[in-house]
């Protein structure tokens, strides 16, 4: 007899097959991660981030196609930390995208920062590229919830995506998974 | 190719049961995505627990906008997640999508991030949460903040699993 409130635990809903594919996963201790030679056969990309550091770090950098100098990036953020502490800001003409900033340097081995990064129309050769990052971290007394966007001013198809912590390295249990979404 | 993004289960409110629970969640995925379209009486927030844990192992916060007012909030050492600001009033449905990353990884606590929108309260917000448990999440119970108030028959909750390469 099913327990009240437990409903259809094995009854599938709509199954999404074939449109959302795992491309590559990078994990482990490293100074940076780069996804290279990204197939150009999808419509959009999604990267799912679980960032764990052995020591705290304030944020990370993201860049595309090896471009991490110059002025090709801009970003905007809506974020909130403790009660009553919310902010919105933006920057332009950046050498790379700086994001997942919580200001507390509180990342640790047991409190991962998590994020979902969407890159739309990544293979277009007629559009500049837009990315959106939904991310958060909670340390039971501090933390951040944020939604950020970034502009990469280039009409080149994105063939690589790189991640690097601000001042430390990715911890052994960090994982970033790249997925392709078919249109 | 095996499905990367797969529906695990869907559950609907029945108008009389005060919670919906996903049990025996397979541990074979990397992340979980829980999509909730919920409706109950006005003011019924979403409460949530993992693995039946009733200890003070939950903390959470959000940032959002309510009409022309921006806000942020935070709660610590709670006995459940209380996703306040998520009421689905009679006649209106609220939507929230929870991303629960690395739910079966025993190396750290479980973090989640979410987006939600609720016209009944003219609110949109970003939620963060932490469950201070290292065990695999095998049960998720979602219930109304009012305790005995039921999810309406217009409530649908779907749990997906995402498998990384």
């Amino acid at each position: 007899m099913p327990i009240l409130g437990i409903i259809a635990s094995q009854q599938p809903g709509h199954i999404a097959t074939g449109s959302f594919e795992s491309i590559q996963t990078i994990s482990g201790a490293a100074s940076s991660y780069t996804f290279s030679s990204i197939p150009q056969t999808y419509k959009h990309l999604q990267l799912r981030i679980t960032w764990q550091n052995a020591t705290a770090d304030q944020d990370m950098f993201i860049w595309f196609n090896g471009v991490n100098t110059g002025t090709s990036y801009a970003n905007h953020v809506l974020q909130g930390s403790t009660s009553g502490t919310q902010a919105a800001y933006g920057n332009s003409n950046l050498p790379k995208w700086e994001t997942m900033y919580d200001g507390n340097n509180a990342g640790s081995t047991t409190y991962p920062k998590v994020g979902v990064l969407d890159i739309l129309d990544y293979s277009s050769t007629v559009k500049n590229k837009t990315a959106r990052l939904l991310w958060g971290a909670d340390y039971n007394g501090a933390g951040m919830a944020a939604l950020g966007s970034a502009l990469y001013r280039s009409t080149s198809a994105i063939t690589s995506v790189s991640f690097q912590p601000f001042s430390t390295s990715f911890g052994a249990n960090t994982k970033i998974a790249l997925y392709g979404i078919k249109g | 190719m095996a499905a990367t993004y797969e529906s695990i289960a869907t559950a609907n409110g029945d108008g009389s049961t005060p919670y919906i629970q996903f049990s025996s969640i397979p541990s074979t995925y990397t992340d979980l995505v829980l999509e909730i379209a919920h409706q109950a009486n006005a003011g019924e927030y979403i409460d949530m627990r993992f693995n039946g844990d009733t200890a003070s192992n939950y903390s959470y916060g959000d940032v959002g906008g309510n009409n022309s007012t921006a806000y942020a909030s935070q709660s610590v050492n709670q006995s459940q997640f209380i996703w306040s600001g998520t009421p689905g009033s009679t006649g209106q449905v609220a939507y929230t999508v929870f991303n629960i990353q690395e739910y079966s990884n025993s190396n750290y606590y479980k973090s989640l991030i979410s987006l939600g929108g609720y016209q009944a309260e003219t609110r949109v917000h970003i939620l963060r949460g932490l469950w201070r448990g290292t065990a695999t999440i095998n049960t998720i119970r979602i219930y109304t903040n009012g305790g005995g108030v039921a999810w309406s028959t217009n409530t649908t909750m779907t749990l997906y699993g995402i498998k990384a390469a």
Side-chain angles (χ1 to χ4, degrees):
Chain A
M1 172 183 287
I3 300 173
L4 287 177
I6 302 172
I7 301 172
S9 61
Q10 297 301 319
Q11 180 181 16
H14 56 282
I15 296 176
T17 58
S19 298
F20 192 100
E21 294 183 351
S22 177
I23 300 173
Q24 183 185 2
T25 300
I26 302 178
S27 62
S31 59
S32 65
Y33 292 169
T34 293
F35 295 87
S36 56
S37 301
I38 296 173
Q40 299 297 297
T41 51
Y42 301 99
K43 183 63 175 175
H44 311 301
L45 299 176
Q46 184 174 95
L47 293 115
R48 303 183 70 89
I49 302 165
T50 304
W51 176 17
Q52 182 200 51
N53 268 8
T55 56
D57 206 338
Q58 64 177 44
D59 57 29
M60 73 156 78
F61 297 109
I62 302 174
W63 62 91
F64 305 115
N65 293 353
V67 177
N68 59 5
T69 59
T71 58
S72 297
Y73 300 86
N75 76 297
H76 289 83
V77 182
L78 168 67
Q79 65 184 35
S81 54
T82 56
S83 296
T85 307
Q86 62 274 357
Y89 60 90
N91 299 286
S92 57
N93 298 317
L94 302 169
K96 48 195 171 184
W97 182 13
E98 186 171 1
T99 186
M100 299 188 82
Y101 172 79
D102 64 16
N104 290 299
N105 294 342
S108 74
T109 55
T110 49
Y111 297 85
K113 293 187 186 183
V114 294
V116 179
L117 169 62
D118 290 297
I119 307 171
L120 307 182
D121 283 332
Y122 74 104
S123 64
S124 170
T125 57
V126 297
K127 304 177 188 178
N128 292 322
K129 306 304 180 290
T130 299
R132 179 189 68 190
L133 176 60
L134 173 69
W135 75 270
D138 194 287
Y139 312 115
N140 192 39
M144 189 74 79
L147 181 63
S149 68
L151 168 69
Y152 171 47
R153 284 201 307 278
S154 172
T155 55
S156 299
I158 290 177
T159 58
S160 72
V161 184
S162 299
F163 300 83
Q164 182 182 58
F166 179 81
S167 63
T168 61
S169 297
F170 289 125
N173 294 303
T174 299
K175 178 186 291 183
I176 301 179
L178 171 66
Y179 300 90
I181 302 171
K182 294 183 179 179
Chain B
M1 174 184 289
T4 300
Y5 196 122
E6 193 167 42
S7 174
I8 298 172
T10 292
N12 300 305
D14 62 8
S16 60
T17 307
Y19 63 89
I20 287 174
Q21 179 165 301
F22 294 92
S23 304
S24 302
I25 299 170
S27 61
T28 51
Y29 299 99
T30 305
D31 302 328
L32 297 175
V33 176
L34 177 60
E35 297 189 359
I36 298 177
H38 54 102
Q39 182 190 73
N41 291 336
E44 296 302 338
Y45 303 148
I46 296 173
D47 289 357
M48 185 184 293
R49 286 195 172 116
F50 295 151
N51 293 4
D53 184 6
T54 58
S56 301
N57 289 325
Y58 303 84
S59 53
Y60 47 89
D62 70 338
V63 58
N66 184 353
N67 272 331
S68 58
T69 303
Y71 72 93
S73 72
Q74 176 177 275
S75 297
V76 301
N77 295 322
Q78 300 293 304
S79 60
Q80 60 207 1
F81 291 123
I82 301 176
W83 305 116
S84 60
T86 61
S89 69
T90 302
Q92 298 196 30
V93 177
Y95 295 91
T96 311
V97 178
F98 295 92
N99 291 277
I100 307 169
Q101 310 280 82
E102 293 285 325
Y103 73 104
S104 64
N105 194 318
S106 61
N107 290 303
Y108 32 62
Y109 299 145
K110 307 304 184 290
S111 293
L112 59 89
I113 188 72
S114 169
L115 273 175
Y118 330 101
Q119 181 56 35
E121 209 179 58
T122 61
R123 183 191 298 263
V124 58
H125 65 174
I126 305 157
L127 304 162
R128 72 174 200 261
L130 177 76
W131 175 55
R132 294 196 307 285
T134 56
T136 296
I137 295 173
N138 52 48
T139 303
I140 302 174
R141 176 174 288 200
I142 310 105
Y143 48 104
T144 60
N145 187 243
V149 178
W151 293 118
S152 79
T153 55
N154 290 325
T155 293
T156 299
M157 302 189 185
T158 302
L159 182 66
Y160 297 92
I162 299 178
K163 179 66 174 174

